[in-house]
Amino acid sequence: MATTTPRSPYEILGVPKGASAEEIKKAYRKLAREYHPDRNPGDASAEERFKEVQGAYDLLSDPEKRKQYDAFGSANGRGGFQGGNVNFGDFNVGDLGDLGDLFGGLFGGRGGRAGGARTSRGQRGSDVEVEINLSFEDSLKGVQTKIPVTLETACSECHGSGAKPGTAPKICPECNGRGVVAESQGFFALSQPCPRCHGNGTVIEDPCPRCGGSGRERRTKRYTVKIPAGVKDGTRIRLKGKGEAGFAGGEAGDLYVVTRVQPSKLYERRGDDLVVDVPVTFSEAALGATVEVPTPDGPVSVKVKPGTQDGTLLRVKGKGAPKLKGSGRGDLLARVKVEVPKKLNKRERELLEELGRGSRDPREALFS
C-alpha cells in the first residue's frame, strides 16, 4: 500500500529552507489566521491543519531546534510531524509550548497557557476634576488656596483593605490567588477572570462594617493648591495621587484643578500679552504726546508719535502676563483710541474749520 511521505516544516509553512525568521513568522501568522478553530468551528480538518502549522512554527522559530533539524531531521527522509508534537523520524522536538504571546495579538489574548501570569490585581482610582474661580488680578500674580473635594478615599477603619480590622483578605480558593481560571476547549485552555474574586486573587470573608468590604468611603477633603502666576481661563493643574482611591491596593487617581478666570474690566488677554485701550485727544494724536498707560505693575509713560492713527498698538516690553512655560513675561499692547469730541465750543469750531480749509481732501485718491 502506498504511503505518504511526511512534509517538512518548511513545506507546511510554504517557505524555502533558507527563509528568514521574519518570513517564517509572516507565513505562520497568515496560516494561523486561516485555520484557527475560532474561525472554523467544528471543522476537524482545519483543527488538524492548525496543529500542524503550530508544530512547524514551534520548530522553525527556535534557532537551536531549527539548526538540529536542518542537520539531522531530514536525513532519513521522514521529516514530518504528528499530532501536537513535532516528530522528524527519530528526532522529536517536543510539545508546542506556550503560544499565548503570539495568539494574544491575533485573537484578543485567547489561547494562553492555563493558569498563566495574570494582570495586576489593583485597579487605579478615578481622576477627579474641580473648578476654582479666580479674579483676573490673582491669575496674574498667583495664589495659594484651599479647596474642598468630595471623593472616594481609602476607608478610615480598614485603611483600604476591605477586611474587618484584625482580619485580612485570604487567597481565593477558586483560582489559588492567580485571579484567572482556565476553561478547557479541546486543544485550547481559555483564561478568564475568576468569577469568585473577580480577578483580585483574594476574597474577603469578614468585610469591614464601615465600608462593606469595598475598602473605600466617600469623604470631603481639603487640599492646599498653589496656583502659579500667569494661569489662563481653563488652565488644568494636576495633583498626582489626590484623586479617588484605587481598588484592591491599586494606586489613587489624580486631581485636576481647572482655573476659571473672571474677565478684566481693563485688559484683554492675548496669550501672554495684555491689551489695554488708551484714549488720546485729536491734538495729541496729530501733534504727538507722552501719555501714561496702566500696567499690572503700575502706570508707565508711553510716547505717542505725531500722526498716530486710531487703533495703533504701542508695545511695552515685559509688562504683560507671566509665562507659565518658561521664564519672563509677555508684553503690554497699548491700543490708541483717538477721541472725537461730541460737542465743540465756538473757538474750537473756528480752529477746526480753519484747519479743514488748509487740509488735503483724504477722499481724493478714491476718484483719481
Side-chain angles (χ1 to χ4, degrees), residues 73 82 169 295 333:
Q82 297 174 346
T295 77
L333 304 176

Side-chain angles (χ1 to χ4, degrees), residues 31-47:
L31 293 170
R33 289 190 181 97
E34 181 178 353
Y35 294 107
H36 195 280
D38 283 358
R39 294 191 176 181
N40 302 274
D43 189 337
S45 62
E47 183 175 345

Side-chain angles (χ1 to χ4, degrees), residues 83-274:
N85 292 338
V86 180
N87 188 342
F88 297 96
D90 298 326
F91 177 70
N92 188 288
V93 176
D95 295 333
L96 297 177
D98 184 8
L99 299 173
D101 291 342
L102 270 170
F103 286 98
L106 289 174
F107 302 101
R110 302 177 62 188
R113 181 173 53 195
R118 48 180 298 278
T119 57
S120 175
R121 298 176 185 178
Q123 180 181 343
R124 184 179 183 274
S126 299
D127 294 336
V128 178
E129 184 175 289
V130 295
E131 294 185 350
I132 181 171
N133 294 316
L134 297 173
S135 67
F136 189 83
E137 292 71 25
D138 283 345
S139 75
L140 295 183
K141 65 184 181 182
V143 294
Q144 183 169 294
T145 185
K146 289 187 176 182
I147 58 172
V149 184
T150 302
L151 37 65
E152 296 286 343
T153 64
C155 175
S156 57
E157 189 161 337
C158 69
H159 306 291
S161 72
K164 183 179 179 179
T167 68
K170 296 183 178 180
I171 293 176
C172 175
E174 186 79 16
C175 64
N176 293 321
R178 291 192 299 269
V180 293
V181 293
E183 179 183 350
S184 179
Q185 293 190 3
F187 183 72
F188 294 98
L190 305 182
S191 297
Q192 58 185 359
C194 174
R196 180 165 181 180
C197 68
H198 306 291
N200 291 328
T202 58
V203 291
I204 299 173
E205 295 183 347
D206 197 358
C208 169
R210 184 178 184 87
C211 64
S214 69
R216 311 192 327 160
E217 63 178 333
R218 195 160 188 82
R219 287 190 294 169
T220 298
K221 302 186 71 172
R222 296 182 67 86
Y223 290 116
T224 299
V225 183
K226 185 177 181 180
I227 308 297
V231 295
K232 306 172 186 176
D233 185 68
T235 296
R236 287 163 58 89
I237 301 168
R238 178 190 178 205
L239 278 67
K240 182 174 175 58
K242 300 299 184 182
E244 295 197 337
F247 293 91
E251 65 176 347
D254 298 332
L255 173 65
Y256 288 90
V257 179
V258 182
T259 57
R260 293 302 174 200
V261 180
Q262 299 174 2
S264 171
K265 296 179 180 179
L266 190 61
Y267 301 104
E268 171 193 339
R269 186 157 182 175
R270 293 183 183 177
D272 296 321
D273 295 337
L274 300 178

Side-chain angles (χ1 to χ4, degrees), residues 276 278 307-314 333-338:
V276 59
V278 180
T308 296
Q309 302 297 302
D310 184 72
T312 298
L313 293 175
L314 307 177
L333 304 176
R335 184 165 51 200
V336 173
K337 303 296 288 185
V338 179

Side-chain angles (χ1 to χ4, degrees), residues 325-336:
K325 296 181 179 179
S327 59
R329 297 173 60 170
D331 299 333
L332 180 78
L333 304 176
R335 184 165 51 200
V336 173

